[in-house]
Amino acid sequence: MVLKQQKIDVTDRVVGKFKNGEIELYLENEKIGNIQLPSGFSIQMDHHFETDQQKIYQHVTTTEHPQARYTDCDEGGWC
């Protein structure tokens, strides 16, 4: 048996997580690297998202006080 080193393209499986002014790169749950961001960098977000103090937030509409008669229904609509 002969072992051979190969190079496998995993680009589409890599996820970046924004943390402490850098982007940490993960393949599945394993940290594989990071991207250092320059000071004064800016992030362009879609209209339902924003950044604030190195956090990313999504704007959503929620129900503040749902009516009890609608909270215990199953997927078929039976309550």
Side-chain angles (χ1 to χ4, degrees):
M1 177 190 301
V2 177
L3 297 177
K4 179 182 173 186
Q5 291 289 324
Q6 293 186 10
K7 187 166 57 171
I8 301 171
D9 184 1
V10 297
T11 306
D12 61 345
R13 295 173 35 211
V14 173
V15 174
K17 296 182 180 182
F18 187 60
K19 185 175 180 184
N20 297 328
E22 66 181 23
I23 299 173
E24 294 182 342
L25 301 174
Y26 290 85
L27 179 60
E28 295 169 8
N29 292 322
E30 178 183 356
K31 183 177 176 186
I32 61 170
N34 63 316
I35 300 172
Q36 296 291 325
L37 298 172
S39 60
F41 66 91
S42 67
I43 299 174
Q44 302 299 318
M45 304 296 294
D46 286 343
H47 70 282
H48 289 295
F49 297 88
E50 73 172 89
T51 60
D52 184 27
Q53 297 189 18
Q54 299 193 22
K55 301 263 185 193
I56 299 173
Y57 297 93
Q58 179 181 15
H59 295 275
V60 296
T61 303
T62 60
T63 303
E64 204 167 308
H65 300 290
Q67 295 178 6
R69 64 181 173 186
Y70 297 118
T71 59
D72 293 330
C73 299
D74 65 13
E75 292 177 7
W78 293 95
C79 300

